[in-house]
Each structure stands twice: as structure tokens, then as C-alpha cells.
Amino acid sequence: MRMDDNYANYSALDFAQEPSFIRWVRAGDGEAASAWERWLTDHPDRAGDVEQARRIVLAIQVREAEPAPETLSSIWNAIQVQTEEVAIKPMVPVRRTLVRRLIPYAAAASVALLAWFFLAYNPTKVVLTENAQQLALDLPDGSRVNVNAATELTYQPKSWKKERRVHLEGEAFFQVEKGEPFIVETDLGKVEVLGTSFNVKSREGYFEVDCFTGKVRVTNQNGSMQVLNPGQSTRIDLASGALTTPAVYDPGLTATWREGKFYFQEATLKEVFLEISRQYNVEITTAPEILGRKTTTFFELGNLDSALYKVCWPMQLNAKREGNVVNVE
Amino acid sequence: MDNHLWSDLKAGKKAALERIYADHASALLKYGRKFSADSQLVEDSLQDLFIELWKNREGLGNTDSIRKYLFVALRRKIIRAVSGSRMSSKEPEEGLFSAEFDIEQEIIGKETEAEQRLQLQKALEGLTKRQQEILYLKYYSDLDYNQIAEIMDLNYQSARNLAFRALEALRDAMLLLIIGFLWMLWVKLS
């Protein structure tokens, strides 16, 4: 490395801003180091300024954590999902014997098909999250959805202007832009809103809606209907199959999965274990009578062992982990 | 190198997007976190930035530095999200950036008297948010003053001045320490 003659006129603050000088001080960079050391023996009168500059550079130490690799890869997964081109469904195959007979019509058919493609073809967009993956996405009108792990969300971008409708299997938090009715369909119930934010969980027979802002109308398959105001929630009562009367929920404990926190109140262990297995991508095996027990508990994303301990210890249960399988006794 | 990657991106090569993410995502997240403690907000902003980069790839202009381009875009996005509404997306005058400076490092720890360390700590805490940001970009993000000026929406000379004032404050706080060193040097030489 050749050293610039101008360095002779540098002040301490000039040195402190010189990239090769910074590299030398910081990392003891080999090439920069030998060049600077040589320069210093040639210019002993500059030792004071150089020392001053060295200390200034060293004083600038920022304390910061490196992002976790899982964080970086889960953001990339979400980018990947949303930059994928829309999936085209395979066409129904035509049997060989038919093909021959159909040849004369092929030209006409392809013209019709082309026309259909432009006029009526309405591809379905499918957003899928896997275990241990969450993502945020924008719908065509700017409404925002945070999707929890192991969830499938489908909608039709082309007819979005006519009808804002999504189908959900799993759990998601919606922030809906004002406009025409916005509908979330699930296998267990339907949620209708105008412009609001709310959380929907619909998994394995469990259905719950929490309203954060605006008004939310919830109906289930039996035609049972409830209107939620901000701060209220309803769920399907397992015994009667009806929606429960809107009740005030604790905002500190509700839909906190977006911050990696999971609270359960009077929930079955089955529900808790299912959430752990989704968030950590593990399989949990245990006796059926254990799954039915009720608990009020909490776990946080981060360490699987400590999550298991928090849930199991108060219930006098033991979790043994072997690879991706956890056995609870 | 940057040019090649950028034109691959514009041509719709997904591998280019992935490469750009791998090269810069970590630095971007660390920078973004200095504007908001809400890590979800920062991560969502980074995600949106790359999705928009892909969606708008055909309309992208040229850039001399991909890193600078991404820093500019992420900074705007987060400031807009933090200030809440789309209408008032302007950064407050005093800035939003906040870093944690650490003086417990080896060199300074060993050689420095408690009193002088206190002085330095005070000087670091006394830096304005804008001064903190420029030091972070200069010493932690591998960017030059031309690029930093663009990121912070300053002209080149203002950026140089801002950095100069910050470094000057640190130098002055350490003056006592330097005088001690010079005295030792003088004793050795004479």
C-alpha cells in the first residue's frame, strides 16, 4: 500500500476519518498496519496526533447485537413467498382417445380458452406459512395481514376490487383499510368488517375472534351471530357450538403472537402443545388424558426447553426432548 | 460488481435479489433498529423494502452503491412508519436515531483513569442523535461521506461538518488523557 504524502499535514481528526487508518486501529489490518507503522517511524513528530486519532477511533464503540440467523431467514422466506409469481392451477388432463377426436375443434377451443384466460381467469393467491415461520403481507387495497405459523390464507387478487374476501385456516391479525365490507371466511365461522383491526384464530375445532379497533361481525356455521366492539372477543363454545357472548379481553395477553409471546387462560394442554409444536416445529407426544387438562400459562419464542419447562412444571409434568420429538409425561 | 448485480435484478433474476439480501440484510437490520425499539416494525419494513424492490425492479434507476440505495430506502420507510401517518412522514428536526455507545472496551478501560472515562462517557451521551447517526454510518456501515450525505439527506459539506463536530467533542473529552501521553513521550525522548 502506498501512503499519501498529504498525511504529513493531517490533524488528529483527519486521521480518525481516514478509512485505512480506521482499519489499522480497528482490526490491525495486515497491509494497512505495516504501511502505517512504517509511515509513523518516518514521521515521529506526528506520534501525538496519531495517538489522539487512535483513541478517538477506539472510543467509538457501539453496543449492538447481530441479528439472529433465524430472523434473517424468516424475513427472506416471507419475501420469497410474496415475490413468487401467482400459482396457476393445472388443467384437467384430456384422455388420449378423446384427443384424436378433438383435434378438429382444437383451434376453436384454443381461441375460446385464450378469451377465457383474459376475461374470466381469476387465479387464487395462496399464502402458506410453515411451522416456526410468521410473515406480514399487504393485500391489494393496502390492508395488512400478519400471518402466524402453520397457516394458509387464500384470496383472489383479480376480484379484490369487487369483493374483499379471504379464506383462512390458522391464525392471522388483520388491519383493514376503510372501504367495502371485508370478509374472512374460515371453516368454523365468518368475520365481516368495514375497516378495523382484529385477530382470527381458527384451528382444530377452535375458533376465536378478538376485535382491536372498529366493529366486527362474527357468524358461525349454525347461524349464531355476535357483534364485537373494540376490546371484545368471542369464540365458539365447544359444548353448545354457539358463539359466546362478547367478553372483554386483556389486551396485554391477546394476539401477542406477533411479538413472539403466547398466553393461555383456562386453555387445554392440547391447545398449548399444538402452539408450541407450530412455533418450534417439533412433534409432541403425550397421553390423551394429559391433553385434556386445563391450564393458565405463558411461553415465549426463543428457547424451546424453557418454553416446555414453563408450561410443564406447574402441571407436574416432565418434558423429554430427543431431536424434533418431545415426550411429555 | 454492484452494477452487474443491479442489472441482473432489473432483468428479473431472482438470484440477484437473494444475493443482495444476503449481502446487506444484517447491516440493514442493525441500522434500522437504531430508529425504533419495535423489532417487528423494523423487520416488516425490511421485508417490504425487498418486496417493493422486486415489484418495481423494471423501473429502477442506476445506483453507484446498492448499500447506499437500500440504506436510504429503509431509513425513509422506518421514519414514515414511526411517525405514524403517511401525511407527516418527515423526520423530527432532532432526528430519531439512537445508539448505545460502549466505553467499557479494553483499550479505554485499561489505560484510562475513572475521571477521564467519566468525561468520555459524558461526551458520548452528549452527542446529538444526528451526530450519533453519522458516527455509526461512518464507523460501522462501510460507507463514505458522499453516500452518508445522501442517506442523511445532507449536502456533502454539511455531512463533513456534522462528523467533525462529533469527533471534536470526543477529542476534547480525551484531551487530558492525550496530555498525559505526550508528557510520557517527552520524558522518554529527553
Side-chain angles (χ1 to χ4, degrees), chain A residues 50-119:
Chain A
V50 166
E51 176 60 16
Q52 200 174 348
R54 195 178 71 87
R55 284 172 187 249
I56 292 171
V57 171
L58 288 171
I60 305 167
Q61 295 285 349
V62 173
R63 193 181 305 169
E64 62 179 352
E66 283 302 314
E70 307 88 71
T71 308
L72 290 171
S73 64
S74 92
I75 297 171
W76 174 250
N77 284 341
I79 294 166
Q80 185 77 294
V81 169
Q82 287 189 72
T83 52
E84 251 163 37
E85 309 309 325
V86 174
I88 292 172
K89 287 192 178 152
M91 303 232 257
V92 182
V94 183
R95 278 191 295 137
R96 272 192 165 275
T97 47
L98 272 176
V99 170
R100 204 158 284 181
R101 280 194 278 148
L102 282 174
I103 286 171
Y105 306 103
S110 62
V111 169
L113 186 68
L114 210 64
W116 170 77
F117 206 88
F118 284 111
L119 295 173

Side-chain angles (χ1 to χ4, degrees), chain A residues 7-166:
Chain A
Y7 287 158
N9 304 319
Y10 264 35
S11 72
L13 292 188
D14 292 330
F15 284 125
Q17 296 177 74
E18 177 62 35
S20 84
F21 185 86
I22 298 169
R23 277 202 300 278
W24 171 47
V25 173
R26 279 278 197 70
D29 177 302
E31 209 189 344
S34 52
W36 275 103
E37 276 151 22
R38 240 182 295 121
W39 186 85
L40 208 51
T41 25
D42 293 345
H43 302 79
D45 57 314
R46 310 309 321 281
D49 280 336
V50 166
E51 176 60 16
Q52 200 174 348
R54 195 178 71 87
R55 284 172 187 249
I56 292 171
V57 171
L58 288 171
I60 305 167
Q61 295 285 349
V62 173
R63 193 181 305 169
E64 62 179 352
E66 283 302 314
E70 307 88 71
T71 308
L72 290 171
S73 64
S74 92
I75 297 171
W76 174 250
N77 284 341
I79 294 166
Q80 185 77 294
V81 169
Q82 287 189 72
T83 52
E84 251 163 37
E85 309 309 325
V86 174
I88 292 172
K89 287 192 178 152
M91 303 232 257
V92 182
V94 183
R95 278 191 295 137
R96 272 192 165 275
T97 47
L98 272 176
V99 170
R100 204 158 284 181
R101 280 194 278 148
L102 282 174
I103 286 171
Y105 306 103
S110 62
V111 169
L113 186 68
L114 210 64
W116 170 77
F117 206 88
F118 284 111
L119 295 173
Y121 181 64
N122 194 355
T124 299
K125 177 119 187 176
V126 181
V127 178
L128 260 178
T129 55
E130 293 172 14
N131 281 340
Q133 186 194 0
Q134 290 186 4
L135 65 85
L137 78 138
D138 286 328
L139 293 167
D141 63 336
S143 293
R144 174 147 265 244
V145 195
N146 292 79
V147 185
N148 200 351
T151 295
E152 182 176 328
L153 184 85
T154 52
Y155 63 97
Q156 292 172 324
K158 214 178 153 188
S159 53
W160 193 259
K161 272 209 179 122
K162 264 190 290 172
E163 191 181 41
R164 302 195 292 175
R165 183 188 290 270
V166 301

Side-chain angles (χ1 to χ4, degrees), chain A residues 16-17 55 64 66 72 136, chain B residues 21 30 34 47 139 145 177:
Chain A
Q17 296 177 74
R55 284 172 187 249
E64 62 179 352
E66 283 302 314
L72 290 171
Chain B
Y21 183 84
K30 286 191 282 185
K34 308 288 185 295
Q47 182 186 317
Y139 291 90
Y145 278 122
L177 198 141

Side-chain angles (χ1 to χ4, degrees), chain A:
Chain A
M1 191 178 103
R2 244 194 82 245
M3 298 291 279
D4 197 327
D5 289 337
N6 288 336
Y7 287 158
N9 304 319
Y10 264 35
S11 72
L13 292 188
D14 292 330
F15 284 125
Q17 296 177 74
E18 177 62 35
S20 84
F21 185 86
I22 298 169
R23 277 202 300 278
W24 171 47
V25 173
R26 279 278 197 70
D29 177 302
E31 209 189 344
S34 52
W36 275 103
E37 276 151 22
R38 240 182 295 121
W39 186 85
L40 208 51
T41 25
D42 293 345
H43 302 79
D45 57 314
R46 310 309 321 281
D49 280 336
V50 166
E51 176 60 16
Q52 200 174 348
R54 195 178 71 87
R55 284 172 187 249
I56 292 171
V57 171
L58 288 171
I60 305 167
Q61 295 285 349
V62 173
R63 193 181 305 169
E64 62 179 352
E66 283 302 314
E70 307 88 71
T71 308
L72 290 171
S73 64
S74 92
I75 297 171
W76 174 250
N77 284 341
I79 294 166
Q80 185 77 294
V81 169
Q82 287 189 72
T83 52
E84 251 163 37
E85 309 309 325
V86 174
I88 292 172
K89 287 192 178 152
M91 303 232 257
V92 182
V94 183
R95 278 191 295 137
R96 272 192 165 275
T97 47
L98 272 176
V99 170
R100 204 158 284 181
R101 280 194 278 148
L102 282 174
I103 286 171
Y105 306 103
S110 62
V111 169
L113 186 68
L114 210 64
W116 170 77
F117 206 88
F118 284 111
L119 295 173
Y121 181 64
N122 194 355
T124 299
K125 177 119 187 176
V126 181
V127 178
L128 260 178
T129 55
E130 293 172 14
N131 281 340
Q133 186 194 0
Q134 290 186 4
L135 65 85
L137 78 138
D138 286 328
L139 293 167
D141 63 336
S143 293
R144 174 147 265 244
V145 195
N146 292 79
V147 185
N148 200 351
T151 295
E152 182 176 328
L153 184 85
T154 52
Y155 63 97
Q156 292 172 324
K158 214 178 153 188
S159 53
W160 193 259
K161 272 209 179 122
K162 264 190 290 172
E163 191 181 41
R164 302 195 292 175
R165 183 188 290 270
V166 301
H167 189 89
L168 173 77
E169 280 171 51
E171 181 166 19
F173 183 88
F174 296 86
Q175 282 163 281
V176 175
E177 291 285 320
K178 287 217 164 63
E180 295 298 299
F182 183 104
I183 299 165
V184 181
E185 290 174 335
T186 76
D187 292 341
L188 296 166
K190 188 164 92 169
V191 187
E192 281 171 273
V193 302
L194 290 172
T196 154
S197 58
F198 58 97
N199 190 67
V200 183
K201 179 174 183 179
S202 173
R203 298 186 189 272
E204 289 103 4
Y206 185 89
F207 179 77
E208 178 181 328
V209 180
D210 315 296
C211 173
F212 280 70
T213 57
K215 260 193 189 324
V216 176
R217 180 167 53 196
V218 187
T219 44
N220 76 351
Q221 308 300 64
N222 314 345
S224 162
M225 196 260 276
Q226 294 292 352
V227 174
L228 300 180
N229 287 311
Q232 291 184 326
S233 76
T234 182
R235 55 192 170 74
I236 289 182
D237 182 64
L238 285 178
S240 67
L243 289 165
T244 57
T245 318
V248 173
Y249 62 78
D250 183 337
L253 309 180
T254 307
T256 51
W257 55 268
R258 292 172 299 147
E259 291 116 51
K261 296 190 169 80
F262 300 83
Y263 296 91
F264 299 85
Q265 283 172 305
E266 278 298 290
T268 58
L269 275 175
K270 178 183 171 191
E271 221 183 293
V272 181
F273 286 151
L274 279 170
E275 195 65 55
I276 292 180
S277 68
R278 281 190 289 267
Q279 298 301 335
Y280 287 97
N281 194 23
V282 290
E283 192 183 318
I284 300 180
T285 58
T286 188
E289 64 269 22
I290 291 178
L291 288 178
R293 287 206 224 157
K294 289 266 176 87
T295 181
T296 293
T297 187
F298 160 75
F299 74 86
E300 213 168 341
L301 273 191
N303 184 321
L304 170 60
D305 290 319
S306 86
L308 286 166
Y309 184 78
K310 271 192 194 128
V311 172
C312 292
W313 184 79
M315 306 293 286
Q316 292 173 313
L317 294 169
N318 240 325
K320 261 194 228 127
R321 192 176 146 194
E322 268 174 61
N324 269 341
V325 181
V326 178
N327 188 41
V328 176
E329 291 174 332

Side-chain angles (χ1 to χ4, degrees), chain B residues 97-110:
Chain B
F97 188 93
S98 125
E100 218 181 311
F101 286 93
D102 191 354
I103 65 154
E104 300 298 324
Q105 289 293 323
E106 331 94 74
I107 305 286
I108 298 169
K110 273 184 208 137

